């Protein structure tokens, strides 16, 4: 099977259109159509349904796409392995959710000073998006609240964060009754922090009120300071922000306080020297972290394989 045919097939499958695939590949449309037909004849099965809205993959096409992605990933890894050297160079892509990202500036600065020939790129996303990015090889590793249950994911480290209620001074907090009916401000309404808060509230016979979701931590914290509502964040994040006026932090009770932040990667990831050394820098600059090959995933994010 010609690798060039697979590249055309993948482009058409991802674009969902012959014309868009031709444009992305800088081919004429008739050339793309002919190559898809050649591949279908070679495999003796249709790979796409043609309809008025464009094209969609058949079940055979979906199966071939999954293998095609794996084939090109293996080719990329082969190239990395051949070009890899004991001295880290090239680039690595790391992902993080917003709260975990507060730890990264010192880590990235230390790594850059040790390995100036490596370009480190950082993507800030939601936890679910980070898991997908790791599985799809978009990033090599990612920090997020976990653990994560998936057979293709290895968890390299865990930092046991302690949760706190981040409350404006105007709210005059005494106990959970003080936030009854108040608005919870969150970056991600489905995060594990909210689950812990829900459990605590249920134990006290209370219910969560409105939830307001934000796109940035800056916007969220500005609204907390303005008295619009309260937030749930790791105590370490609050301390690193060095907030001294307008907002206070009240720790969760011990039974609900602990939420792990994990650093995940694909189990089959080829570990370049640049990425291996990044892990070593994490060990130095995250002394509170527990490093291991795998972590128990009970109670974490379950991801369908």
């Amino acid at each position: 099977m010609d690798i060039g045919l697979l590249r055309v097939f993948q482009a058409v499958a991802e674009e969902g259109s012959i014309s868009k695939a031709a444009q992305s590949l800088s081919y004429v449309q008739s050339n793309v159509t002919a190559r898809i037909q050649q591949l279908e004849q070679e495999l003796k099965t249709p790979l796409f349904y043609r309809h008025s809205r464009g094209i969609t993959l058949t079940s055979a096409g979906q199966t071939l796409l999954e293998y095609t992605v794996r084939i090109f990933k293996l080719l990329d890894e082969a190239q990395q392995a051949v070009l890899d050297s004991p001295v880290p160079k090239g680039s690595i892509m790391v992902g993080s959710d917003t709260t975990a990202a507060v730890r990264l500036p010192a880590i990235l600065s230390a790594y850059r000073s040790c390995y100036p020939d490596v370009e480190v790129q950082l993507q800030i996303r939601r936890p679910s998006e980070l898991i997908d990015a790791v599985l799809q090889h978009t990033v090599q590793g990612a920090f997020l609240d976990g653990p994560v249950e998936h057979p293709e994911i290895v968890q390299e480290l865990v930092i046991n964060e302690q949760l706190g209620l981040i409350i404006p001074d105007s709210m005059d907090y005494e106990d959970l009754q003080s936030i009854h009916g108040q608005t919870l401000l969150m970056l991600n309404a489905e995060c594990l922090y909210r689950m812990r808060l829900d459990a605590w509230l249920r134990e006290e016979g209370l219910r969560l009120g409105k939830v307001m979701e934000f796109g940035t931590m800056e916007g969220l914290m500005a609204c907390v300071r303005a008295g619009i509502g309260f937030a749930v964040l790791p105590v370490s994040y609050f301390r690193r922000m060095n907030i001294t006026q307008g907002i206070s932090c009240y720790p969760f009770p011990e039974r609900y306080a602990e939420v792990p932040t994990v650093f995940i990667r694909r189990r089959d990831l080829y570990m370049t020297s640049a990425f291996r050394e990044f892990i070593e820098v994490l060990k130095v600059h995250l002394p509170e972290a527990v490093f291991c090959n795998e972590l128990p995933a009970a109670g974490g994010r379950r991801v369908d394989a």
Side-chain angles (χ1 to χ4, degrees), residues 199-301:
W200 184 13
L201 288 169
R202 283 196 304 270
E203 183 181 89
E204 298 294 330
L206 302 173
R207 297 175 64 182
L208 186 63
K210 295 180 180 179
V211 177
M212 186 181 296
E213 197 167 351
F214 287 79
T216 66
M217 182 62 75
E218 291 77 9
L220 184 152
M221 295 306 295
C223 286
V224 173
R225 186 179 285 104
I228 294 173
F230 69 99
V232 175
L233 293 171
V235 174
S236 64
Y237 186 93
F238 178 79
R239 290 172 178 166
R240 282 179 167 82
M241 291 179 68
N242 196 29
I243 297 174
T244 58
Q245 293 183 338
I247 301 177
S248 299
C249 178
Y250 299 89
F252 273 44
E254 185 176 349
R255 61 191 176 281
Y256 296 121
E258 194 169 277
V259 171
T261 290
V262 295
F263 184 71
I264 65 172
R265 64 170 173 84
R266 278 191 67 103
R267 186 181 302 276
D268 60 358
L269 177 72
Y270 175 74
M271 302 280 282
T272 62
S273 59
F275 190 70
R276 286 197 303 271
E277 292 304 322
F278 182 77
I279 299 296
E280 293 303 313
V281 170
L282 293 183
K283 292 180 180 180
V284 173
H285 288 270
L286 295 174
E288 71 274 39
V290 177
F291 284 80
C292 50
N293 291 329
E294 286 191 68
L295 303 169
R301 299 176 181 275

Side-chain angles (χ1 to χ4, degrees), residues 68-216:
T68 298
V69 170
R70 289 162 61 183
I71 287 168
F72 287 125
K73 178 61 178 68
L74 284 173
L75 287 173
D76 289 342
E77 287 189 359
Q79 184 178 33
Q80 289 177 1
V82 169
L83 297 177
D84 198 18
S85 69
V87 178
K89 58 183 180 180
S91 65
I92 59 175
M93 179 74 77
V94 178
S96 177
D97 64 16
T98 303
T99 50
V102 72
R103 298 177 178 273
L104 291 181
I107 294 169
L108 297 180
S109 177
Y111 184 83
R112 182 179 178 84
S113 66
C114 292
Y115 305 107
D117 292 333
V118 181
E119 178 186 4
V120 182
Q121 301 176 51
L122 178 64
Q123 294 186 9
I124 306 296
R125 298 187 183 181
R126 293 171 177 266
S128 59
E129 294 172 340
L130 291 170
I131 294 170
D132 287 341
V134 168
L135 291 172
Q136 297 301 320
H137 307 278
T138 306
V139 299
Q140 288 156 291
F143 292 91
L144 68 157
D145 57 281
V148 176
E149 298 181 55
H150 193 284
E152 295 180 23
I153 285 179
V154 171
Q155 304 182 61
E156 290 283 356
L157 66 84
V158 60
I159 305 168
N160 289 314
E161 300 280 12
Q162 304 297 312
L163 293 181
L165 293 170
I166 312 301
I167 294 178
D169 292 345
S170 60
M171 197 172 286
D172 195 21
Y173 179 79
E174 294 183 3
D175 54 35
L176 276 185
Q177 287 286 349
S178 304
I179 64 172
H180 180 68
Q182 300 290 339
T183 300
L184 172 63
L185 312 179
M186 304 205 74
L187 292 175
N188 177 9
E190 299 179 359
C191 77
L192 297 180
Y193 304 166
R194 176 178 174 175
M195 293 169 58
R196 295 296 171 86
L197 177 62
D198 279 337
W200 184 13
L201 288 169
R202 283 196 304 270
E203 183 181 89
E204 298 294 330
L206 302 173
R207 297 175 64 182
L208 186 63
K210 295 180 180 179
V211 177
M212 186 181 296
E213 197 167 351
F214 287 79
T216 66

